[in-house]
Amino acid sequence: MTTATTVASPAAAYPNYLDCLADADEQGAVALATGLLGAGVPAERVLLDLVAPAQAEVGERWARNEWGVAEEHVATHISERVVAAIAGYADDHPTGDRIVVACMDGEWHALPARLVAEVLRLRGWQVTFLGASVPAAHLVSYLHRHDAYAVALACALPMRLPHAHRMIEACQRLDVPVVVGGRGFGADGRWARRLGVAWAPDGPAAADLLADERALRAGSPADLAHLADDEYAGLVGRRGELIDSALADLAQRVPATRDYSPAQLDSTVSDLGYILDFLSAALYVDDGSLFTEFVDWLVAVLGSRGVPAAAVGTTLRHYARALHDFPRAAGYLQEGWRGLPAVGPSTSPPTA
Ligand code: B12
């Protein structure tokens, strides 16, 4: 078990905090965080300079296959516990208006949203935290029953952007202003701008924006004229059929997949689906970089688990052939394939 010593800055506490997460040392982690508060570090800084970067590191360790899902779950549970301990330091009687904080439908990354919720609370807003995966209809019905000055919506995965847009539109129809954030909107929030919604990089920036109603409501409308080509809707409609055919294609071209265990088959089907979901999201916001960034990430994650980039290449080629009459989708697939490390442009392109 890690011994928590009192340190005076989040940066100095960080290595010990990571050790606490790795050692499942719940008490040690809480003691480190509350020790910082006791040393005069503002609660907001503990959340953003200790808990948040530690969680990002947890993700990197998972991506590199150094940590399994169980280690990630333990670490996230401990971080949630730490956030709850820090939350106890917020003003019990905030005077600001009510902000509803929620995750997009299908979005299970509740902790990033919780960090934002606590920062807003620390800044004096009344906050109602709805947590993970809130279906649009339920958010609307909640907003009908409870007054809210604004809604803060979180999205960690770009593949949820089409759902995000539905939720944003639902709030806008009720004339409740929305601020969005999270990795899902791109590091610079570029996909939020495409969806015509205010974006903030973190809790403090969101608090500043919420304090300025004009800025919150300013902004250009969604820019989605490209959806008229129906590629997005067509791809969503063909999702099941495309996964089935990609699986059959893999079995033919990569014989080892025929001997996959049920668990390996499950995760292959998930990956085949993720490829289509990220492709659909890229079509939705008309930005191929959303898809190519995902392919780079997928290749790295699968590579650390012994799956060669060529397997991803096989599927990208299959989807590009199947979607030859979807020019935007085929273009993104081709870009993704060209960026693959081992199969690069020296062999024939996916549409050939
Ligand atoms: C914990 C975790 C989970 C947990 C979440 C539990 C929970 N209670 O939150 C569980 C197990 C559910 C999970 C599941 C998955 N996860 Co996950 N997860 C993480 C992890 C390790 C930490 C999340 C976290 O707490 N981040 C800490 C916060 C602080 O980071 P942040 O998102 O950058 O937030 C800051 C800003 O973006 C901003 N912000 C965030 N939200 C909002 C909202 C508003 C309104 C505003 C203004 C600002 C704002 O403020 C925050 C503070 O500064 C991340 C790694 C990471 N880098 O985040 C992966 C990560 C996000 N997950 C990832 C993946 C792939 C998945 C899965 C698809 C895995 C799988 N195969 O099943 C599923 C998808 C589930 C789903 N449909 O949502 C990938 C995403 C990669 C990608 N290409 O998009 C990541 C990046 C891991 C990695 N390095 O590869 N995950």
Side-chain angles (χ1 to χ4, degrees):
M1 191 174 267
T2 310
T3 312
T5 48
T6 306
V7 281
S9 78
Y14 184 70
N16 282 351
Y17 186 78
L18 277 179
D19 287 344
C20 290
L21 299 187
D23 296 344
D25 181 1
E26 208 162 315
Q27 285 89 347
V30 172
L32 263 177
T34 51
L36 286 171
L37 299 175
V41 179
E44 183 174 302
R45 294 313 342 148
V46 183
L47 293 172
L48 298 180
D49 299 340
L50 184 71
V51 180
Q55 283 296 109
E57 174 60 20
V58 169
E60 292 309 311
R61 291 180 185 187
W62 171 82
R64 292 195 298 265
N65 203 23
E66 293 164 11
W67 277 16
V69 169
E71 283 82 3
E72 172 278 311
H73 281 8
V74 168
T76 303
H77 163 73
I78 294 176
S79 287
E80 277 168 349
R81 171 92 203 273
V82 167
V83 173
I86 297 170
Y89 282 69
D91 183 354
D92 277 346
H93 304 287
T95 50
D97 289 324
R98 177 157 304 283
I99 311 293
V100 169
V101 180
C103 293
M104 305 298 178
D105 197 0
E107 175 60 74
W108 292 100
H109 294 92
L111 186 54
R114 174 86 198 272
L115 288 170
V116 172
E118 296 310 334
V119 169
L120 295 180
R121 218 190 298 272
L122 286 163
R123 296 270 182 130
W125 296 94
Q126 294 180 63
V127 176
T128 303
F129 181 59
L130 302 188
S133 188
V134 182
H138 291 259
L139 177 64
V140 167
S141 124
Y142 188 86
L143 292 173
H144 276 304
R145 285 178 285 121
H146 302 272
D147 271 348
Y149 162 73
V151 172
L153 291 176
C155 178
L157 300 170
M159 69 177 180
R160 306 307 301 171
L161 285 173
H163 291 81
H165 189 220
R166 253 161 264 156
M167 291 187 80
I168 293 161
E169 282 184 310
C171 296
Q172 288 170 339
R173 273 196 294 274
L174 296 178
D175 199 32
V176 179
V178 182
V179 57
V180 298
R183 301 168 44 95
F185 290 98
D188 55 0
R190 61 190 188 279
W191 300 316
R193 283 190 289 284
R194 183 48 64 92
L195 300 183
V197 64
W199 169 84
D202 53 24
D208 292 345
L209 192 58
L210 289 165
D212 180 353
E213 192 175 349
R214 234 161 52 128
L216 185 61
R217 287 182 180 273
S220 15
D223 174 12
L224 297 170
H226 51 271
L227 291 180
D229 68 6
D230 267 348
E231 283 202 31
Y232 167 75
L235 182 53
V236 170
R238 288 180 59 184
R239 187 179 187 278
E241 164 231 319
L242 283 165
I243 293 174
D244 288 348
S245 67
L247 202 57
D249 185 65
L250 263 183
Q252 203 189 351
R253 290 175 199 269
V254 187
T257 57
R258 289 181 219 151
D259 302 322
Y260 272 8
S261 66
Q264 284 173 311
L265 209 55
D266 256 11
S267 69
T268 304
V269 169
S270 292
D271 289 339
L272 296 175
Y274 285 143
I275 294 174
L276 292 177
D277 295 339
F278 274 84
L279 184 61
S280 310
L283 289 173
Y284 199 87
V285 296
D286 195 30
D287 186 347
S289 74
L290 187 158
F291 185 67
T292 46
E293 280 173 22
F294 161 73
V295 172
D296 291 347
W297 170 86
L298 184 66
V299 165
V301 166
L302 292 179
S304 71
R305 285 152 177 83
V307 179
V312 176
T314 299
T315 295
L316 297 185
R317 289 166 66 91
H318 173 79
Y319 282 151
R321 277 193 301 271
L323 294 168
H324 61 87
D325 50 350
F326 288 55
R328 282 197 299 133
Y332 298 164
L333 285 159
Q334 195 148 345
E335 261 321 287
W337 180 82
R338 282 190 201 287
L340 293 179
V343 282
S346 57
T347 46
S348 53
T351 44

